[in-house]
Amino acid sequence: MAAPSSNTCGLTERSIRERVPPLLTDLYQVTMAYAYWRTGRHQEPAVFELFFRNNPFGGGFTLFAGMQDCLLFLRSFHFTDEDVEFLRSVLPPATDPAFFQFLRGLDCSGVTLRAIPEGTVVFARVPLMEVAGPLAVVQLLETSLLCLVNYASLVCSNAARFRLAAGPKRKLLELGLRRAQGPDGGLTASRYTHIGGFDFTSNVQAGFQYGVPVAGTMAHSYVTSFTSLEEVLPKTLVAVNGDSTPVDIILLTKGWLSRVCELLGSQPGKIHEGELAAFLSYAIAYPQNFLPVIDSFSVSCSGLLNFCAVALALCELDYKPLGVRLDSGDLCRQSLEVRRVFRLCSKHFSVSAFDSLTIVGTNNITEQSMAELNEKENEIDVVGVGTHLVTCTQQPSLGCVYKVTQPLCSATETRAKVQSSLQTLHPRHKRLQEPDSYTVALSEKLHTLVTEIREGSSNNSNFLLAN
Amino acid sequence: MAAPSSNTCGLTERSIRERVPPLLTDLYQVTMAYAYWRTGRHQEPAVFELFFRNNPFGGGFTLFAGMQDCLLFLRSFHFTDEDVEFLRSVLPPATDPAFFQFLRGLDCSGVTLRAIPEGTVVFARVPLMEVAGPLAVVQLLETSLLCLVNYASLVCSNAARFRLAAGPKRKLLELGLRRAQGPDGGLTASRYTHIGGFDFTSNVQAGFQYGVPVAGTMAHSYVTSFTSLEEVLPKTLVAVNGDSTPVDIILLTKGWLSRVCELLGSQPGKIHEGELAAFLSYAIAYPQNFLPVIDSFSVSCSGLLNFCAVALALCELDYKPLGVRLDSGDLCRQSLEVRRVFRLCSKHFSVSAFDSLTIVGTNNITEQSMAELNEKENEIDVVGVGTHLVTCTQQPSLGCVYKVTQPLCSATETRAKVQSSLQTLHPRHKRLQEPDSYTVALSEKLHTLVTEIREGSSNNSNFLLAN
């Protein structure tokens, strides 16, 4: 079978059928559908609204997401023979066999979905989606729609909060795949945190499937897997421009390391050779994309010095190193020290590339620690967030609900309502020929309220616009 | 395309390829694999261990789960042409094209997985899985393996804690699908909470795919969709045994309702007719599976009376009603009142079926409120748990890590180690012909320790067995 094609617009109908099969629902939806069918009410028109009762995280807003998947789910919704046979095995033996024929023929051709556009700011108790159609069908859709909207909206809102906390300039990287509720949870997180304001994801499949920009360089395991410079292979690199003679990059780096140690007054003896070997190997593999993690051992005694030495060697060969990643300890304090050293090197060795190096910080970042980055002095350009972003630690569920909105009156009741409604009209409006028209005007109370609002609006127009 | 076949042993290799494609990984795994490949280290034997650092929820144990999916993932692991082309578009342009050929040919045939059996109690810092194979390959597996183990183990452990809190007798129902991190998160939750000790799930797909027993009857929306007894259709029911004459079940129920109201001194005027209509419709559809939710309006003034009336009518026709569900308020207090009324009916009307009715409680149950059920008097037989079970509110991530265990010595280093190791041997052990054998014995210190443990074991054998 061919793999699904790269599709930045999201999942196809076929793949959503596999991801959200119609059996992915609570059993009571099926038992209720049968009871509606049995009593002849299954085709009754019904309208359900999907909303939530409180903004998550104690916040003042929510972002609505997941609608596109809901639409694909509705389009693909149908029970296969195998689905129906399984339901037959689960429902009571006395269930009328004709019900299973009814299920087999079901689809959402009679269902209308009205929804707020994906990515819109929404508030509690406001309907996000209105699902109208035959009662039994819209009942069967409930759990799947809630499942598709709940987490997507929650994690998108969480990402938007992290973005607000970070401010508009700092770049944000999502790296929560390994901490999400399994593969699909991780993919959903990468997709909707990008929509919510993150710039990159570490999740390659999210890049493949949804076009989210991907980023990442190395883990500590890469650094610690090297022990000696003898492991560096190849040992040469060719300069970007000009001379094509391979340069002994190890020798070149060793030279720079001495100069850096001298500049900073550091002890070469404390430098970890394995770390230098790891950085060199990576730089030889990716001379234009050098961004190592520098705190596997000690930032100030080893990692920063090794980075500077390799980066200066790369600069000498006209490559442009990217920066460093800090993954532990006090990120703010360390970033200041790292930036100070970068500026010193830039000035002392006249390497302008060192003025624009990126410092990435990743260390169990919470919304609160993200907000603190705006209060504490630091030089962090990119922040990576994993666990607290994707698991929404502060509140791991949005709690959307799906409720019937119509009184669903019987014909008898509606017929009675027609009569009582007509009785409120004066006979002159009920004349069948040349009736008086009914004047619609504001009551005195409503008129006063509108006047007050108009007066208030001149002082507080933003409030009115926003509401 | 045919749907995947019902398979209680779990996912097939093909479906796991769709659920966990090899691109569902952090980009740095691929960049590191390239750097290893570039330096010629990709085939080096490597061993990674997967473990966690702290038991979740402040507890003393964890249950290991997810291993079976890991095994299927390893078996299905390979990059398609399309995967490789996407990686080519993401990695720096200077990446050696031969690396992509290498990726295209990769599989896990050289990888060995040693793991603790699924469902075993495990502890912090103990390796759960040991993944051995070529360095580049085992590196590429990290994120996916973590993703498959983390949530599975977390939610299985959470379920086990709920089970311990509930005690062995109470039945537990998982109903968290709509609150999980999307469809796959919900399915994983249903699967591993069953393994962790839950009896049923509301998730039909979990029944289909993993053979988990499914349960569920009706939601409030079903109850509130009825307004009048006129909506009840058909209006007759045939007794289980004997007379096949259809009985007017509405009339029969109305008679029982009067008697129940009289017995309990209740006001018939407070009874909600729509609720009675809903219960009747459901009972006619499922006369052997009658278990309505009875708190849509008022348990004591309406729901309980309506249940008793319909259930007594069913009993008169030799059907056996199942019970009721309480979904709000003080579950313990209400369950006592419900049971009191059941016993009263049983005695007064001589219906023994009322002695074995089930009371289901579902109302935002937490681990703490579950534990309180053992302290407060109550009559709840089955407890349904959703949000707090599947989102693991107390700690929504386990935090497994995947670390290299061997020093990964170079051949040169290992060669040197061979020599120094041989030097520790006395020449008589190194004789190539007829050497003295090396006696292995306990040191005095170890001997004392073993003796102490043996002595202790007679007083505290359980401790030793458990550890």
Side-chain angles (χ1 to χ4, degrees), chain A residues 133-194:
Chain A
L135 178 55
V137 182
V138 291
Q139 184 70 64
L140 283 168
L141 304 173
E142 175 179 14
T143 308
S144 315
L145 294 179
L146 286 172
C147 189
L148 289 171
V149 168
N150 255 324
Y151 180 62
S153 297
L154 182 75
V155 80
C156 187
S157 304
N158 202 25
R161 290 174 64 92
F162 271 95
R163 167 49 73 200
L164 287 170
K169 284 185 188 167
R170 233 182 285 270
K171 297 283 182 192
L172 298 181
L173 164 65
E174 178 272 322
L175 31 78
L177 175 55
R178 64 186 65 187
R179 302 283 178 252
Q181 284 181 12
D184 179 78
L187 193 57
T188 306
S190 302
R191 178 184 184 186
Y192 291 108
T193 54
H194 180 60

Coordinates of all heavy atoms in Angstrom, one line a residue, chain A residues 133-194:
Chain A
G133 N -29.2 17.5 11.9 CA -29.4 16.4 11.0 C -30.4 15.4 11.7 O -30.9 15.7 12.8
P134 N -30.5 14.2 11.1 CA -31.4 13.2 11.7 C -30.9 12.8 13.1 O -29.7 12.6 13.4 CB -31.3 12.0 10.8 CG -30.8 12.5 9.5 CD -29.9 13.7 9.9
L135 N -31.9 12.8 14.1 CA -31.5 12.6 15.5 C -30.6 11.5 15.8 O -29.5 11.6 16.5 CB -32.8 12.4 16.3 CG -32.7 12.1 17.8 CD1 -32.0 13.2 18.5 CD2 -34.1 12.0 18.4
A136 N -30.8 10.3 15.2 CA -29.9 9.1 15.5 C -28.5 9.4 15.0 O -27.6 9.0 15.6 CB -30.5 7.9 14.8
V137 N -28.4 10.1 13.8 CA -27.1 10.3 13.2 C -26.3 11.3 14.1 O -25.1 11.0 14.4 CB -27.2 10.8 11.8 CG1 -25.8 10.9 11.2 CG2 -28.0 9.8 10.9
V138 N -26.9 12.4 14.4 CA -26.1 13.4 15.1 C -25.8 12.9 16.5 O -24.8 13.3 17.1 CB -26.8 14.8 15.2 CG1 -26.8 15.4 13.8 CG2 -28.2 14.7 15.7
Q139 N -26.6 12.0 17.1 CA -26.3 11.4 18.4 C -25.1 10.5 18.2 O -24.2 10.6 19.1 CB -27.5 10.6 18.9 CG -27.3 10.0 20.2 CD -27.3 11.1 21.3 OE1 -28.3 11.7 21.5 NE2 -26.2 11.3 22.0
L140 N -25.0 9.8 17.1 CA -23.8 8.9 16.9 C -22.5 9.6 16.7 O -21.5 9.1 16.9 CB -24.1 8.0 15.7 CG -25.1 6.8 15.9 CD1 -25.5 6.2 14.6 CD2 -24.5 5.8 16.8
L141 N -22.6 10.9 16.4 CA -21.4 11.7 16.1 C -20.7 12.3 17.4 O -19.6 12.7 17.3 CB -21.7 12.8 15.1 CG -22.3 12.4 13.8 CD1 -22.7 13.7 13.0 CD2 -21.3 11.6 13.0
E142 N -21.5 12.4 18.5 CA -21.1 13.1 19.6 C -19.7 12.9 20.1 O -18.8 13.8 20.1 CB -22.1 12.9 20.8 CG -21.6 13.6 22.1 CD -22.5 13.4 23.3 OE1 -23.4 12.6 23.2 OE2 -22.4 14.2 24.2
T143 N -19.4 11.6 20.5 CA -18.1 11.4 21.1 C -16.9 11.7 20.2 O -15.9 12.3 20.6 CB -18.0 9.9 21.6 OG1 -19.2 9.6 22.3 CG2 -16.8 9.6 22.4
S144 N -17.0 11.3 18.9 CA -15.9 11.5 18.0 C -15.7 13.0 17.8 O -14.5 13.5 17.8 CB -16.2 10.9 16.7 OG -16.7 9.6 16.9
L145 N -16.7 13.8 17.7 CA -16.6 15.2 17.5 C -15.9 15.9 18.8 O -15.0 16.7 18.6 CB -17.9 15.9 17.2 CG -18.6 15.5 15.9 CD1 -19.9 16.2 15.7 CD2 -17.6 15.9 14.7
L146 N -16.4 15.5 19.9 CA -15.8 16.0 21.2 C -14.3 15.6 21.3 O -13.5 16.4 21.6 CB -16.6 15.4 22.4 CG -17.9 16.0 22.7 CD1 -18.6 15.2 23.8 CD2 -17.8 17.5 23.1
C147 N -14.0 14.4 20.9 CA -12.6 13.9 20.9 C -11.7 14.7 20.0 O -10.6 15.0 20.3 CB -12.6 12.4 20.6 SG -11.1 11.6 20.8
L148 N -12.3 15.1 18.8 CA -11.5 15.8 17.9 C -11.3 17.3 18.2 O -10.3 17.9 17.9 CB -12.1 15.7 16.5 CG -12.0 14.3 15.8 CD1 -12.8 14.2 14.5 CD2 -10.5 14.0 15.5
V149 N -12.3 17.9 18.9 CA -12.2 19.3 19.2 C -11.5 19.5 20.6 O -10.8 20.5 20.7 CB -13.7 19.9 19.3 CG1 -13.7 21.3 19.9 CG2 -14.2 20.0 17.9
N150 N -11.8 18.7 21.6 CA -11.3 18.9 22.9 C -9.8 19.2 23.0 O -9.4 20.3 23.4 CB -11.7 17.7 23.8 CG -12.8 18.0 24.7 OD1 -13.0 19.1 25.2 ND2 -13.6 17.0 25.0
Y151 N -9.0 18.2 22.6 CA -7.6 18.4 22.8 C -7.0 19.4 21.8 O -6.1 20.1 22.2 CB -6.9 17.0 22.7 CG -5.4 17.1 22.8 CD1 -4.9 17.6 24.0 CD2 -4.5 16.8 21.8 CE1 -3.5 17.7 24.2 CE2 -3.2 16.9 22.0 CZ -2.7 17.4 23.2 OH -1.3 17.5 23.3
A152 N -7.5 19.4 20.6 CA -7.0 20.3 19.6 C -7.2 21.8 20.1 O -6.2 22.6 20.1 CB -7.7 20.1 18.3
S153 N -8.3 22.1 20.6 CA -8.6 23.4 21.1 C -7.8 23.7 22.4 O -7.2 24.8 22.6 CB -10.1 23.6 21.4 OG -10.8 23.5 20.3
L154 N -7.7 22.7 23.2 CA -6.9 22.9 24.5 C -5.5 23.2 24.2 O -4.9 24.1 24.8 CB -7.1 21.6 25.4 CG -6.4 21.6 26.7 CD1 -7.2 22.5 27.7 CD2 -6.2 20.2 27.3
V155 N -4.8 22.3 23.4 CA -3.4 22.5 23.2 C -3.1 23.7 22.3 O -2.0 24.4 22.5 CB -2.8 21.2 22.6 CG1 -3.0 21.0 21.1 CG2 -1.3 21.0 23.0
C156 N -4.0 24.1 21.5 CA -3.8 25.3 20.7 C -3.9 26.5 21.6 O -3.1 27.4 21.5 CB -4.9 25.4 19.6 SG -4.8 26.7 18.4
S157 N -4.9 26.5 22.5 CA -5.0 27.6 23.5 C -3.8 27.6 24.4 O -3.3 28.7 24.7 CB -6.2 27.4 24.4 OG -7.4 27.2 23.6
N158 N -3.3 26.5 24.8 CA -2.1 26.4 25.7 C -0.9 27.1 24.9 O -0.1 27.8 25.5 CB -1.8 25.0 26.0 CG -0.9 24.9 27.3 OD1 -0.9 25.8 28.1 ND2 -0.2 23.8 27.4
A159 N -0.7 26.7 23.6 CA 0.4 27.2 22.8 C 0.2 28.8 22.7 O 1.2 29.5 22.8 CB 0.3 26.6 21.4
A160 N -1.0 29.2 22.5 CA -1.2 30.7 22.4 C -0.8 31.4 23.7 O -0.3 32.5 23.7 CB -2.7 31.0 22.1
R161 N -1.1 30.7 24.8 CA -0.7 31.3 26.1 C 0.8 31.4 26.3 O 1.4 32.4 26.7 CB -1.3 30.5 27.3 CG -2.8 30.7 27.4 CD -3.4 29.7 28.5 NE -2.9 30.1 29.8 CZ -3.5 30.9 30.6 NH1 -4.6 31.4 30.3 NH2 -3.0 31.1 31.8
F162 N 1.5 30.3 25.9 CA 3.0 30.3 25.9 C 3.5 31.4 25.0 O 4.4 32.1 25.3 CB 3.5 28.9 25.4 CG 3.7 27.9 26.5 CD1 2.7 27.0 26.8 CD2 4.9 27.9 27.3 CE1 2.9 26.1 27.8 CE2 5.0 27.0 28.3 CZ 4.0 26.1 28.6
R163 N 2.8 31.6 23.8 CA 3.3 32.6 22.9 C 3.1 34.0 23.5 O 4.0 34.8 23.4 CB 2.5 32.5 21.5 CG 2.5 33.6 20.6 CD 3.9 34.1 20.3 NE 4.7 33.2 19.4 CZ 6.0 33.3 19.4 NH1 6.7 34.2 20.1 NH2 6.7 32.5 18.6
L164 N 2.0 34.2 24.1 CA 1.7 35.5 24.8 C 2.8 35.7 25.9 O 3.3 36.8 26.1 CB 0.3 35.6 25.4 CG -0.8 35.7 24.4 CD1 -2.2 35.5 25.0 CD2 -0.8 37.1 23.7
A165 N 3.1 34.6 26.6 CA 4.0 34.8 27.7 C 5.4 35.1 27.2 O 6.2 35.8 27.8 CB 4.1 33.5 28.5
A166 N 5.7 34.5 26.0 CA 7.1 34.6 25.4 C 7.3 36.0 24.7 O 8.4 36.4 24.6 CB 7.3 33.5 24.4
G167 N 6.2 36.6 24.4 CA 6.3 37.9 23.6 C 6.5 37.5 22.1 O 6.7 36.4 21.8
P168 N 6.3 38.5 21.2 CA 6.3 38.2 19.8 C 7.6 37.8 19.2 O 7.7 37.2 18.1 CB 5.7 39.4 19.2 CG 6.0 40.5 20.1 CD 6.1 39.9 21.5
K169 N 8.7 38.3 19.8 CA 10.0 38.1 19.2 C 10.7 36.8 19.3 O 11.4 36.3 18.4 CB 11.0 39.2 19.7 CG 10.7 40.6 19.1 CD 11.7 41.6 19.6 CE 11.3 43.0 19.2 NZ 12.0 44.0 19.8
R170 N 10.6 36.2 20.5 CA 11.3 34.9 20.8 C 10.7 33.8 19.9 O 9.5 33.8 19.7 CB 11.1 34.6 22.2 CG 12.4 34.3 22.9 CD 12.2 33.9 24.4 NE 11.8 35.0 25.2 CZ 12.7 35.8 25.9 NH1 14.0 35.6 25.8 NH2 12.3 36.8 26.6
K171 N 11.6 33.0 19.3 CA 11.1 31.9 18.5 C 10.8 30.7 19.5 O 11.5 30.5 20.5 CB 12.2 31.4 17.6 CG 12.6 32.4 16.5 CD 11.5 32.5 15.4 CE 11.9 33.5 14.4 NZ 10.8 33.8 13.5
L172 N 9.7 30.0 19.2 CA 9.3 28.9 20.0 C 9.3 27.6 19.3 O 8.8 27.5 18.2 CB 7.9 29.2 20.6 CG 7.7 30.4 21.4 CD1 6.2 30.5 21.9 CD2 8.6 30.3 22.6
L173 N 9.9 26.6 19.9 CA 10.0 25.2 19.4 C 9.3 24.2 20.2 O 9.5 24.1 21.4 CB 11.5 24.9 19.3 CG 11.9 23.4 19.1 CD1 11.5 22.9 17.7 CD2 13.4 23.2 19.3
E174 N 8.4 23.5 19.6 CA 7.6 22.4 20.3 C 8.4 21.1 20.2 O 8.8 20.7 19.1 CB 6.2 22.3 19.7 CG 5.3 21.2 20.3 CD 5.5 19.8 19.6 OE1 5.7 19.8 18.4 OE2 5.5 18.9 20.4
L175 N 8.6 20.4 21.3 CA 9.3 19.2 21.3 C 8.7 18.2 22.3 O 9.4 17.5 23.0 CB 10.8 19.4 21.5 CG 11.3 20.5 22.4 CD1 11.1 20.2 23.9 CD2 12.7 20.9 22.1
G176 N 7.4 18.0 22.2 CA 6.7 17.2 23.2 C 6.3 15.8 22.8 O 5.6 15.1 23.5
L177 N 6.7 15.4 21.5 CA 6.2 14.1 21.0 C 6.3 13.0 22.0 O 5.4 12.2 22.2 CB 7.0 13.8 19.7 CG 6.7 12.5 19.0 CD1 5.2 12.3 18.8 CD2 7.5 12.4 17.7
R178 N 7.4 12.9 22.6 CA 7.7 11.7 23.5 C 6.8 11.8 24.8 O 6.8 10.8 25.5 CB 9.1 11.6 23.8 CG 9.7 12.7 24.6 CD 11.2 12.6 24.8 NE 11.9 12.7 23.5 CZ 13.2 12.5 23.4 NH1 13.9 12.2 24.4 NH2 13.7 12.7 22.2
R179 N 6.2 12.9 25.1 CA 5.5 13.1 26.3 C 4.0 13.1 26.1 O 3.2 13.3 27.0 CB 5.9 14.3 27.1 CG 7.3 14.4 27.4 CD 7.7 13.6 28.6 NE 9.1 13.6 28.9 CZ 10.0 12.6 28.6 NH1 9.5 11.5 28.1 NH2 11.3 12.8 28.9
A180 N 3.5 13.0 24.8 CA 2.1 13.1 24.5 C 1.4 11.8 24.8 O 2.1 10.8 25.1 CB 1.9 13.6 23.1
Q181 N 0.1 11.8 24.6 CA -0.7 10.6 24.8 C -0.6 9.7 23.5 O -1.5 9.6 22.8 CB -2.1 10.9 25.1 CG -2.3 11.3 26.6 CD -3.8 11.6 26.9 OE1 -4.7 11.3 26.1 NE2 -4.0 12.2 28.0
G182 N 0.6 9.2 23.3 CA 0.8 8.3 22.1 C 1.0 9.1 20.9 O 1.0 10.3 20.8
P183 N 1.2 8.3 19.8 CA 1.6 8.9 18.5 C 0.7 10.0 18.0 O 1.1 11.0 17.5 CB 1.6 7.7 17.6 CG 1.8 6.5 18.4 CD 1.1 6.9 19.7
D184 N -0.6 9.7 18.0 CA -1.5 10.6 17.4 C -1.7 11.9 18.3 O -1.8 13.0 17.8 CB -2.9 9.9 17.3 CG -4.0 10.8 16.7 OD1 -4.0 11.0 15.5 OD2 -4.8 11.3 17.5
G185 N -1.6 11.7 19.6 CA -1.6 12.8 20.5 C -0.4 13.8 20.2 O -0.6 15.0 20.2
G186 N 0.7 13.1 20.0 CA 1.9 13.9 19.7 C 1.8 14.7 18.4 O 2.2 15.8 18.3
L187 N 1.2 14.0 17.4 CA 1.1 14.7 16.1 C 0.1 15.8 16.2 O 0.3 16.9 15.6 CB 0.6 13.6 15.1 CG 0.7 14.0 13.6 CD1 2.1 14.4 13.2 CD2 0.2 12.8 12.7
T188 N -1.0 15.6 16.9 CA -2.0 16.6 17.1 C -1.4 17.8 17.8 O -1.7 19.0 17.5 CB -3.2 16.0 17.9 OG1 -3.7 14.9 17.2 CG2 -4.3 17.0 18.0
A189 N -0.6 17.5 18.8 CA 0.1 18.6 19.6 C 0.9 19.4 18.7 O 0.9 20.7 18.7 CB 0.9 18.0 20.7
S190 N 1.7 18.8 17.8 CA 2.7 19.5 17.0 C 1.9 20.4 16.0 O 2.2 21.5 15.7 CB 3.5 18.5 16.2 OG 4.3 17.7 17.0
R191 N 0.8 19.8 15.5 CA 0.0 20.6 14.5 C -0.7 21.8 15.1 O -0.6 22.9 14.6 CB -1.1 19.6 14.0 CG -2.1 20.2 13.0 CD -3.1 19.1 12.7 NE -4.0 19.6 11.7 CZ -5.1 18.9 11.3 NH1 -5.3 17.7 11.8 NH2 -5.9 19.3 10.4
Y192 N -1.3 21.6 16.3 CA -2.1 22.7 16.8 C -1.3 23.7 17.7 O -1.7 24.8 17.9 CB -3.3 22.2 17.6 CG -4.3 21.6 16.6 CD1 -4.5 20.2 16.6 CD2 -5.0 22.4 15.8 CE1 -5.4 19.7 15.7 CE2 -5.9 21.9 14.9 CZ -6.1 20.5 14.8 OH -7.0 20.0 13.9
T193 N -0.1 23.3 18.2 CA 0.7 24.3 18.8 C 1.4 25.2 17.8 O 1.6 26.3 18.1 CB 1.8 23.6 19.7 OG1 2.6 22.7 18.9 CG2 1.2 22.8 20.9
H194 N 1.6 24.7 16.6 CA 2.1 25.5 15.5 C 1.0 26.5 15.2 O 1.2 27.8 15.1 CB 2.4 24.7 14.3 CG 2.9 25.5 13.1 ND1 4.0 26.3 13.2 CD2 2.4 25.7 11.9 CE1 4.2 26.9 12.0 NE2 3.3 26.5 11.2

